[in-house]
Amino acid sequence: MMNRDSLDRLTQDLLDYLGEQPALVGALAADTGLDPADLRRLARGAALDLSVALVDFICGDDSRLLAFCAHSGWAPERVAYARAALEAGQLR
């Protein structure tokens, strides 16, 4: 089960990971239209939109997902579950 606290931890871990991976920030910007300033603004507001964008981005490519999970300790299935829960509107 994924709750909002877990989602917030996942979002923070994704932000930390992206901070260490400049090439991924460029890919995120290309995929979502969000630039680093947008990410900073959304992060300050703890917006659900940021969580959706980051989880969707990282799950959008198996190699990105597996690299993030290897780095952070998150299980790929748990991150994929978060994506499905967000898409279904189960996390707010």
Side-chain angles (χ1 to χ4, degrees), residues 2 10-13 17 19-21 32 39 57 67 72-73 83:
M2 176 73 62
L10 175 57
T11 301
Q12 186 58 55
D13 288 348
Y17 179 69
E20 298 171 8
Q21 307 292 326
T32 65
L39 291 174
F57 170 73
S72 66
R83 183 185 198 192

Side-chain angles (χ1 to χ4, degrees), residues 13-54:
D13 288 348
L14 284 163
L15 284 170
D16 293 345
Y17 179 69
L18 289 173
E20 298 171 8
Q21 307 292 326
L24 284 181
V25 174
L28 175 67
D31 283 4
T32 65
L34 295 172
D35 63 30
D38 293 328
L39 291 174
R40 285 189 291 276
R41 181 180 42 77
L42 288 171
R44 283 193 299 272
L48 187 58
D49 291 344
L50 177 62
S51 298
V52 170
L54 294 179

Side-chain angles (χ1 to χ4, degrees), residues 50-86:
L50 177 62
S51 298
V52 170
L54 294 179
V55 171
D56 193 51
F57 170 73
I58 211 69
C59 288
D61 179 273
D62 287 345
S63 62
R64 282 194 302 241
L65 174 61
L66 294 175
F68 165 72
C69 290
H71 180 269
S72 66
W74 283 89
E77 299 83 13
R78 187 125 164 93
V79 180
Y81 177 82
R83 183 185 198 192
L86 286 164

